[in-house]
Amino acid sequence: MNYNNLAKAEAIPEASSMIETFRAIGYNLETAIADIIDNSISAQAKNIYINRIWQGGKSVITIKDDGEGMNSEEIIQAMRPGAQNPLTDRLETDLGRFGLGLKTASFSQCRKLTVLSKRKKETPAFWSWDLDYVAQSHKWELLQWIPEEFTHELDSQLSGTLVVWSDLDRILPLQTAETDDNAKRKFSDALDKVKNHIAMVFHRFIEEKSIKIFWCGHEIEAWNPFCINESKTQEQSTDTINGGVKMKGYVLPHKNNFSTEQAYKKAEGIKGYPAMQGFYVYRGKRLLLAGDWLGLFRPEEHYKLVRIQIDLPNSLDSDWQIDIKKSKAYPPAVCREQLESYAKSVRSKGTEVYRHIGKILKQRAGQTFQPLWLEKKKDSKWSFVINREHLMIQDLKNLAKEKPEQAIETLLKFLEEAIPTKTIYINEAQGEETQKTPFSDMDTNILKSTLAIMFENQIKQGKTPEQAKAYLKTIEPFNNFEDLIEDLQ
Ligand SMILES: Nc1ncnc2c1ncn2[C@@H]1O[C@H](COP(=O)(O)OP(=O)(O)O)[C@@H](O)[C@H]1O
Ligand SMILES: [Mg+2]
C-alpha cells in the first residue's frame, strides 16, 4: 500500500481515559507486585525488598531492588506505556513482555507511581505518574516528584531502583484514618497473601539462591509445588514437545505418606489441594500459571495430587498467548494433543495414589489382597460384583446353616461398610465409560423365581392377585420388571 498520497489525521489516545483503562486490566495485588519483581530480576537484582508502611489512607507499598538501575532518561522511557515492542526478541532471562507491566500493574493498585533509580556512579533520579494530574491536565506528562521520606532511599546503594505506590485507592479508601484498626488488619492480610504468592511464583530463583526477596525485612522461603523433598513423591519422566516445551509430571504422596502433617498442609498451597492440581507453566524460571488444566480437563477431587511442570522458552510467548498480567496462557493447537496425552498418563497414576488401593495389604507376605467388591468391565461398561470367593462369604454360608438371621445381617452389614464409593465416584467423574444399567444382563429365571416366591407369600397373607402385583411393583428392583409381574399366576 502506498501511504504517501493519502490524507492523514492524528488520533492520539486521550491521556486520562486511556490511563483509566490501564487500571482495568485485571491485576490483583499479588500479580501486580509479582510483575514489579519481574522487572527487578530482569535488571539483575540480587536482593528485592517489599515493604508496606501503614499510614491509613496515606499508606504506601514500596518495592526496592539492587539491580542495574536507570538514569533519568531511562526512567522516563520506562514510564512510557508500551516502552518496548512485544514483538522484539527478548533475552532469555528477560521477564518483561509488552513494555506495560510497570504502569499497568502499578495503576491497578494506586493513583501515584514513583520510580527512583540510580545507575552505578551516577546520582539518583526520579519521576512520577500521578493519575490526578493526568485527569486534570489531559496530558501524558510525568512529574518530577517523590514522597519526601524516600528521597535518600538509594543513597547507600551502588545502584538500584525503588518503586513507590501511594494513594492505594484499590486497596483501601483514601480517607481511611490511621487509627482504623479494622482497615489496618485488612491491609496487612491482603499483603500476607502476596507473600505466599511470591514464595510460589519465584520459588526457583529463591531455591537456586540467585535472588533473595525480603518481606518487611523477613526473607521469603520458596514454596515448591512438586514436593521434591518428599520421598514418596512420584516423579514422572520428562517429555519434550514442539519447539522445546518441556513437561514433567509429579504425583504428590497420599496424605498418609507425607513425612509430616505440616508438610502435607504446607504442600496444599494458596488455594488448597483441589484447586492446585494441573499444569504449572514456567517461562524461564518464573511461574506464570499455577494449577490450571489449560482447558484440557476439568479439575476433579481425585486428581488433586497431580501437578505437571511445563517449561516454555520465552521465544514461545506469542504462540502460547501469554497475557499482559502473565497469569493466563493458551497452548497452541499443535501442543494440545501432546499435553493431553502426557497429562492423561500422569493423571491415571494420580488416581491410583488418591485411591490408595490396598497397597499395604498387597505387599504383605506375598498374600493377595481380597476385596469384598470386585470391579467388572464389559463392553466399556463398568459394574461391581461381590467377590464370592471372599473368605468371609464362605464362612457366612456355613454360619447360615445354623443361624441364618445372624448370617444375613452380618453379610448386609459388611456389604454396606465396604461399598467402593471412591472408585464409583472416580469412574463416574471420568465419564469415559458408563455404568452398566442395573439388571441389564441378569438371568431372568432368577428374577422370575424370586418374584414367584414373593407373590405366593403375599397371596398367603390374604392379598388378592391384583393387590399382590401392585405391591410388588413398588419394590426395588422389581419395579423395573412390570411385565414379569403381570405374567405372575
Ligand atoms: N526495577 C527496574 N530496574 C531497571 N529497569 C527497570 C526496572 N523496572 C522497569 N525497568 C525498565 O522499564 C522497562 C519497562 O518496564 P515494564 O513496563 O514492566 O515493561 P517490560 O517489563 O515488559 O519491558 C523495562 O523494560 C526496563 O527497561
Ligand atoms: Mg515488566
Side-chain angles (χ1 to χ4, degrees):
M1 191 150 154
N2 182 3
Y3 299 111
N4 291 334
N5 40 20
L6 295 175
K8 286 146 199 121
E10 237 180 6
I12 297 173
E14 209 285 313
S16 54
S17 61
M18 189 73 196
I19 235 164
E20 284 296 328
T21 52
F22 282 172
R23 311 201 75 193
I25 283 180
Y27 281 93
N28 52 35
L29 185 57
E30 291 97 282
T31 51
I33 292 188
D35 220 329
I36 302 300
I37 295 178
D38 281 345
N39 288 339
S40 299
I41 294 176
S42 297
Q44 317 293 330
K46 295 279 165 282
N47 297 284
I48 298 165
Y49 308 86
I50 304 153
N51 269 309
R52 51 168 178 188
I53 301 163
W54 172 255
Q55 295 166 343
K58 300 255 175 309
S59 296
V60 291
I61 293 174
T62 63
I63 299 118
K64 184 169 82 168
D65 68 52
D66 59 358
E68 291 165 346
M70 295 171 273
N71 60 29
S72 178
E73 272 311 304
E74 288 166 326
I75 299 174
I76 295 170
Q77 186 61 21
M79 293 292 237
R80 263 175 59 165
Q84 203 170 357
N85 186 328
L87 299 178
T88 50
D89 278 346
R90 297 268 188 159
L91 286 175
E92 188 69 27
T93 52
D94 192 346
L95 300 174
R97 168 118 177 78
F98 293 94
L100 282 171
L102 173 64
K103 287 72 70 175
T104 47
S106 302
F107 296 149
S108 74
Q109 308 301 319
C110 68
R111 296 194 66 80
K112 288 183 174 53
L113 156 66
T114 305
V115 175
L116 168 74
S117 196
K118 177 183 174 185
R119 270 199 174 277
K120 237 181 221 167
K121 300 200 175 110
E122 292 184 33
T123 46
F126 55 85
W127 289 100
S128 287
W129 272 118
D130 183 327
L131 296 191
D132 296 331
Y133 175 69
V134 174
Q136 220 178 74
S137 68
H138 300 281
K139 283 189 180 143
W140 292 103
E141 242 172 24
L142 299 167
L143 298 173
Q144 201 164 51
W145 173 83
I146 184 168
E148 241 194 66
E149 65 264 43
F150 299 113
T151 329
H152 297 290
E153 189 73 19
L154 295 177
D155 290 0
S156 60
Q157 289 184 203
L158 289 177
S159 68
T161 300
L162 171 77
V163 172
V164 185
W165 291 350
S166 19
D167 286 6
L168 299 159
D169 67 335
R170 289 289 162 86
I171 304 175
L172 75 177
L174 298 184
Q175 60 281 7
T176 306
E178 198 170 341
T179 49
D180 186 338
D181 284 338
N182 199 18
K184 185 176 176 182
R185 193 164 21 94
K186 270 198 205 152
F187 183 65
S188 73
D189 286 353
L191 278 137
D192 280 345
K193 258 173 79 186
V194 179
K195 180 174 154 195
N196 297 331
H197 183 79
I198 288 167
M200 172 177 82
V201 168
F202 299 102
H203 78 90
R204 284 186 173 178
F205 295 95
I206 303 173
E207 279 161 355
E208 63 168 39
K209 301 196 187 328
S210 56
I211 280 158
K212 286 184 182 172
I213 306 177
F214 296 87
W215 182 258
C216 302
H218 303 285
E219 191 174 341
I220 295 181
E221 267 178 57
W223 182 84
N224 185 309
F226 310 114
C227 303
I228 46 172
N229 294 326
E230 286 293 325
S231 63
K232 295 279 169 56
T233 293
Q234 296 182 22
E235 250 183 67
Q236 311 300 311
S237 55
T238 308
D239 210 346
T240 309
I241 48 174
N242 235 290
V245 178
K246 282 206 189 98
M247 309 179 280
K248 185 166 180 61
Y250 294 85
V251 179
L252 309 191
H254 188 274
K255 186 177 179 188
N256 304 348
N257 284 333
F258 262 88
S259 54
T260 62
E261 202 154 315
Q262 294 99 294
Y264 173 76
K265 192 82 193 97
K266 186 170 178 221
E268 109 181 309
I270 46 181
K271 291 181 286 179
Y273 279 105
M276 296 299 276
Q277 62 181 278
F279 296 112
Y280 284 70
V281 183
Y282 293 80
R283 183 179 57 168
K285 285 171 245 162
R286 204 269 204 202
L287 178 64
L288 296 174
L289 212 66
D292 190 314
W293 285 117
L294 298 168
L296 295 173
F297 312 97
R298 271 181 308 155
E300 309 273 8
E301 169 72 12
H302 53 282
Y303 295 127
K304 68 179 183 185
L305 301 173
V306 179
R307 296 178 183 174
I308 303 176
Q309 176 179 330
I310 296 190
D311 284 305
L312 301 181
N314 70 357
S315 53
L316 281 185
D317 267 17
S318 48
D319 296 354
W320 277 64
Q321 301 181 49
I322 308 291
D323 74 339
I324 296 180
K325 290 166 290 168
K326 300 176 194 139
S327 62
K328 290 226 158 60
Y330 304 92
V334 287
C335 291
R336 295 181 79 87
E337 218 166 276
Q338 278 166 292
L339 282 172
E340 195 173 339
S341 84
Y342 184 82
K344 270 191 180 158
S345 84
V346 187
R347 281 158 57 100
S348 78
K349 298 219 170 69
T351 327
E352 275 174 32
V353 175
Y354 170 78
R355 287 204 285 193
H356 202 53
I357 25 176
K359 256 199 187 124
I360 307 147
L361 281 168
K362 255 186 202 164
Q363 289 153 0
R364 232 170 242 168
Q367 304 265 352
T368 42
F369 176 59
Q370 293 192 33
L372 195 49
W373 294 81
L374 293 174
E375 192 175 0
K376 207 169 115 182
K377 269 197 187 138
K378 203 181 154 198
D379 309 329
S380 78
K381 304 252 186 215
W382 53 265
S383 58
F384 284 89
V385 293
I386 306 297
N387 179 7
R388 307 285 196 281
E389 310 294 310
H390 196 283
L391 204 60
M392 184 194 69
I393 307 274
Q394 301 295 324
D395 288 346
L396 286 175
K397 274 186 188 166
N398 293 333
L399 180 64
K401 287 173 199 150
E402 285 142 39
K403 299 178 178 161
E405 286 279 330
Q406 192 192 334
I408 290 177
E409 186 48 40
T410 312
L411 176 64
L412 294 178
K413 192 80 206 137
F414 273 97
L415 293 183
E416 282 168 357
E417 290 298 322
I419 294 173
T421 42
K422 261 193 176 172
T423 315
I424 293 173
Y425 167 73
I426 292 167
N427 285 354
E428 194 59 36
Q430 277 171 337
E432 284 158 9
E433 288 151 340
T434 51
Q435 189 194 352
K436 177 176 85 65
T437 318
F439 302 102
S440 60
D441 60 358
M442 188 153 171
D443 185 348
T444 40
N445 286 326
I446 298 178
L447 267 169
K448 275 185 192 160
S449 61
T450 317
L451 271 172
I453 295 169
M454 295 185 70
F455 184 66
E456 222 177 284
N457 281 336
Q458 292 302 309
I459 302 288
K460 271 191 203 150
Q461 283 172 29
K463 287 202 174 122
T464 66
E466 271 55 49
Q467 285 169 333
K469 286 179 185 178
Y471 178 67
L472 288 177
K473 285 180 194 171
T474 66
I475 296 173
E476 193 181 22
F478 307 117
N479 55 328
N480 292 310
F481 302 96
E482 294 207 358
D483 41 346
L484 290 184
I485 295 174
E486 284 308 325
D487 288 347
L488 288 167
Q489 300 286 346

